[in-house]
Every structure is written in structure tokens, then in C-alpha cells.
Amino acid sequence: MSPCPPGCCCPRAGFLVLCESLGLRSLPRSVPLSTSALSVARNQLCNVDHLLRRFSGLQELSLSHNLLPRFPRGLPPSLESLLLQENRITYITSGALRQLGNLTRLDLEDNRIRAIQPGALEGLNKLQVLTLKGNKLTSLPLNLPPSLTHLDLSANCISVLELPSLSPLVNLQVLNINSNCLRSVPESAFDRLPRLRSVDLADNLWACECDILYLYRWLLNGRTKMATDLVCSEPVHLAHRLLLNLSVVAICPRVLAPNERTQQLHTNSSASDGERETAKPNSFGSNFSQQVSKENTSLTFLKDAPLTRVLLDHFSLETLTYDECVSLNKTQPVSPPLLKTTSSLPDEEQKYRDDITARYPPNNATSAGETPPLLSTNRDALWPTPNTQKEDEDSAVIIALLAVLCALVSLVMLAVLLVLKKVLLQRRRVAPLDAGLGG
């Protein structure tokens, strides 16, 4: 069995290596080259360029919570999951990811990224999950791969949704662009995303004017409660009002103008002129309604949706911290190496959640509704939340039955007491009569 680097934890030595929170300024030298999953998160690494290329079988790598000033160079092409959240990366160059064509997940949350060069993400034809939350982007990255299913751009400075960047994402299912500077959404922006099922648009600077009517109609067509979270910032007289609590006329008064003109012209002109004028508002309404998305899209708050998970017998890394790993090695012998990587696509989410609920005891934690990643550093937030609704209903039924049973027992006891009282009274009346007869 391959040795475990000093200070690190290796639940499956040679396959899974955890070197977290050790104050490392450089990579451990004795990490086995056969390692498939490596985490050096929460250290003080400043440069790992070309130090990991020799790990030809490395599939998952976490460099999160370090001091990296730029995207690492010379990473092995075998990588499928790369976690770089909470570093100091400021830009992504066009050649930074050129050799990483096998990536399915890339997490760059909470860096300082201001720009992503055009073409930097081209060639990532397998990328499904891209997280750019908490950076300083002012626009959507160009040339996003069409393979994306989950895109998180929340907590940036994006003010416009450019159609050339958005429309190629035909496989996109989850879009988080909350907490930005959006004022409106371009006409037919979401109509070109046929698989879109979840959008988070809250906490933007919505200008509730004519330009927002497409989003207004699209939200109404979606029949979702999430839309009530969209609050107007402008104009002043509509500030702090909920978008869907407003009427079309309140949002865009000029929508009513054609009707008013038609009525006036109809009363002062000939019948033929009136017919021509009345066709204008009808055409306006029909054209506008045709631009509304016909998809019944559900808008919900979702977290980034990881797709890859490693199961190690009955232990998984999203719940296995470094300290727990060390304690486990002291109290339990390690079985032969076994590393099983499973990929869960969005269509299989519910099946996987059911499997996890049956395998592990339930606990109280928030769920992203997706399969947790192998090397996630936010383990407590990714454990699935069991559904206790049925248990609550069963408990309520049991309590009701017990209450009814107690009431019946009380009535029976009361009836018995009444009968005993009546019997005692009759005996008292009979006793004096018997005594008189005997005398």
C-alpha cells in the first residue's frame, strides 16, 4: 500500500489523500502518484504551477482556501473536478484551461475575477457545472460551453444579460444570477433555453418600466412564487414594490395609449378609419403575447449543483473532515483500497437522494437538491435533508387516536362509578326494611 504523506489523512491510501488545514506552503512531496482525489484545501499555497502534471490519474483536486494569485498552470489533463474557491485569482487567460478538456466541474467562487478572456472556456466540451459566484464580473463570459447545465453568476456586478453569451447554452437547467446589477432582461432571453428549469433573479436593481415587460410576462407564465421576490428599484414611485403586484399599465403607461387613440378616432372618423385604428392595439397585444415563453419553467432558489461524488464504503468526504478522518484511522482498521466514482446527472437526482437517505441516518442540514461534490469544503451545508412530512402526519394520527382512547376510557370509568353508586344506594334502602321485618 502506498504511504500517506506526514500529517495527511488517507482513508484510501494511494487513491484518496486529505492534506487540509496543515499550514502548507508547498505541496507534500510524498503524495502517491496513483492518487485519484487530492485535497490540499485551507493551506497557504501561493504557487502550484506544473507540480501536479505527473499525477496522470488525478481526477478530483481541491485547492480551495489558499493564496493562489492566478489560475494554476500545468494541471493534469485527467482532471474532472477542480475546486479553486476563495483564492486571489483576478483573471482567466485564454490558455489557462486549454489542456483541461475532461473537466465536468469548475468552482471559482469568492475570488477576485474581473475578466475572463474570450475563448478561455472554449474546448471544455464536458463542463457541466461552472461556479463564478462572488467575483467582480461586469458581464457574462463569452464563449461559454454549450454543455453547461448549471451556471452560478450570483454576487457579481453584471448589469446586462447579453444574448450572444446566453443563447448557446441549450443544455442549461439552472441559472443563478441573483445579487447583481440587472435592470431588465432582453426580449426572448429565456425562450432560447429550452431546458431551463430554475432561475434565481432576486436582489437586482430592477427598473420596473417598459423594458421589463418581457420578464414580467415570462414570470407570470411560469406560475411561480419565486417571482414575488423581485422588487423594483426604479422609478421612484414604484420603488420597493413587488414586480408582480403591479399592472402592465402601471409598469408601462404607454401600453394604454393605442387604446385611447383608437377610441377617440373611432368617434370622430368613419367606420373604415376606426377599423384600421382598432387593429393596432390587437396587433400589439398578439405580438407581445407571442414573445412570452411557452415553457412552464419553475423558478426556485438553488445552490450550485455538483455532479461528481466518491463513495468510500460507508464514508463520503462531504461529511468526513480531516479531524474525523484521523480519529477514524485510530479507531478502525482500513479495508483494502476501494474507490468508486459515480456521476449523477440532473435526471437522476431524486433517485440518488433516495439512495442517500436510505444509506445514512437523517440529520438536519440544508440541501442544494443536487449530489454533493467529492472535495467540497462546505460539508455541513451539502447533506441531504430528509423529508419528515410523512412522519409528522403519522405522529399526529397516533396522538389523535390516543386522545380518543383516553376519552373512551374516562367515559367507561365514569359509567362504572355511576353504576356502583346506584347499587350502594339500593343496598342502603333494603337493609332497614330487612331489619324491621326481622324484629
Side-chain angles (χ1 to χ4, degrees):
M1 182 178 294
S2 301
C4 187
C8 300
C9 183
C10 306
R12 295 290 178 265
F15 289 85
L16 175 63
V17 178
L18 286 171
C19 299
E20 300 180 3
S21 305
L22 299 178
L24 299 176
R25 295 181 182 272
S26 61
L27 290 175
R29 295 183 178 180
S30 56
V31 176
L33 294 179
S34 61
T35 299
S36 297
L38 172 64
S39 175
V40 286
R42 302 182 185 278
N43 285 290
Q44 301 179 34
L45 301 176
C46 297
N47 188 356
V48 295
D49 290 353
H50 306 290
L51 297 179
L52 292 163
R53 182 176 287 277
R54 56 200 180 101
F55 293 86
S56 58
L58 190 62
Q59 297 178 0
E60 306 209 20
L61 173 64
S62 175
L63 292 165
S64 61
H65 300 83
N66 277 285
L67 306 175
L68 300 176
R70 63 174 181 267
F71 197 94
R73 301 173 184 174
L75 295 175
S78 57
L79 277 180
E80 297 178 4
S81 175
L82 178 57
L83 309 182
L84 288 166
Q85 60 265 45
E86 294 199 37
N87 278 278
R88 299 179 179 180
I89 301 171
T90 56
Y91 62 92
I92 306 294
T93 61
S94 57
L97 294 91
R98 186 171 299 161
Q99 304 298 325
L100 301 180
N102 287 314
L103 272 184
T104 60
R105 183 189 180 202
L106 176 60
D107 193 334
L108 291 163
E109 179 179 346
D110 289 333
N111 277 273
R112 305 172 184 179
I113 300 173
R114 294 180 179 273
I116 298 177
Q117 290 187 357
L121 301 174
E122 279 187 328
L124 303 181
N125 298 324
K126 297 181 180 180
L127 188 64
Q128 298 181 12
V129 180
L130 176 60
T131 303
L132 290 165
K133 177 181 178 181
N135 283 281
K136 299 182 179 181
L137 296 172
T138 56
S139 61
L140 267 66
L142 294 174
N143 306 120
L144 290 170
S147 57
L148 278 179
T149 60
H150 296 71
L151 177 60
D152 191 345
L153 294 164
S154 56
N156 278 277
C157 309
I158 298 172
S159 58
V160 179
L161 288 179
E162 296 92 347
L163 290 180
S165 297
L166 199 61
S167 56
L169 304 181
V170 293
N171 292 303
L172 191 65
Q173 299 180 20
V174 177
L175 173 62
N176 293 338
I177 196 164
N178 54 295
S179 303
N180 275 276
C181 303
L182 294 176
R183 292 169 51 86
S184 63
V185 173
E187 198 76 21
S188 73
F190 298 140
D191 299 344
R192 305 183 183 186
L193 308 177
R195 298 189 179 182
L196 189 65
R197 60 179 175 80
S198 174
V199 181
D200 191 344
L201 296 166
D203 299 324
N204 278 282
L205 304 178
W206 300 114
C208 295
E209 299 172 340
C210 295
D211 288 342
I212 207 172
L213 283 180
Y214 164 72
L215 177 61
Y216 176 84
R217 304 274 182 144
W218 187 80
L219 292 173
L220 286 177
N221 186 66
R223 297 187 296 274
T224 172
K225 295 182 180 179
M226 179 266 171
T228 59
D229 292 327
L230 302 189
V231 181
C232 300
S233 296
E234 299 178 11
V236 176
H237 68 282
L238 296 179
H240 310 298
R241 298 277 300 275
L242 297 179
L243 174 60
L244 288 194
N245 284 353
L246 303 175
S247 66
V248 173
V249 175
I251 296 171
C252 186
R254 72 167 180 256
V255 170
L256 190 61
N259 290 327
E260 294 175 344
R261 288 199 305 270
T262 298
Q263 183 176 4
Q264 183 177 2
L265 290 173
H266 182 73
T267 57
N268 297 329
S269 303
S270 64
S272 61
D273 292 338
E275 290 175 359
R276 285 197 297 269
E277 291 296 331
T278 53
K280 293 181 181 179
N282 293 335
S283 176
F284 176 85
S286 62
N287 290 338
F288 198 96
S289 62
Q290 288 174 3
Q291 295 166 355
V292 177
S293 170
K294 295 182 180 180
E295 295 287 337
N296 185 12
T297 308
S298 173
L299 301 173
T300 55
F301 292 101
L302 291 182
K303 300 286 184 183
D304 9 4
L307 299 175
T308 309
R309 179 188 181 88
V310 172
L311 303 178
L312 303 171
D313 289 345
H314 298 289
F315 300 99
S316 54
L317 283 182
E318 71 274 9
T319 56
L320 184 64
T321 64
Y322 175 80
D323 294 336
E324 291 170 346
C325 178
V326 173
S327 175
L328 179 66
N329 285 343
K330 292 180 179 179
T331 58
Q332 179 176 331
V334 179
S335 60
L338 176 60
L339 183 66
K340 179 182 179 183
T341 304
T342 61
S343 294
S344 174
L345 294 176
D347 294 338
E348 301 173 352
E349 291 168 1
Q350 187 60 41
K351 180 180 178 181
Y352 185 79
R353 286 169 58 87
D354 295 339
D355 179 66
I356 290 297
T357 305
R359 183 187 296 269
Y360 296 93
N363 58 19
N364 293 327
T366 59
S367 172
E370 305 286 343
T371 311
L374 162 65
L375 298 174
S376 172
T377 56
N378 187 15
R379 299 181 175 92
D380 295 337
L382 293 175
W383 188 254
T385 304
N387 184 7
T388 58
Q389 182 177 1
K390 185 175 180 181
E391 296 178 1
D392 293 341
E393 293 177 356
D394 294 342
S395 300
V397 172
I398 293 174
I399 292 173
L401 292 175
L402 290 175
V404 172
L405 182 61
C406 290
L408 292 175
V409 171
S410 299
L411 291 175
V412 171
M413 292 180 65
L414 181 61
V416 171
L417 290 175
L418 291 175
V419 171
L420 290 175
K421 182 178 179 180
K422 186 175 181 180
V423 170
L424 290 174
L425 289 175
Q426 288 179 352
R427 287 186 178 181
R428 288 181 181 178
R429 291 176 183 174
V430 172
L433 292 176
D434 292 343
L437 293 173

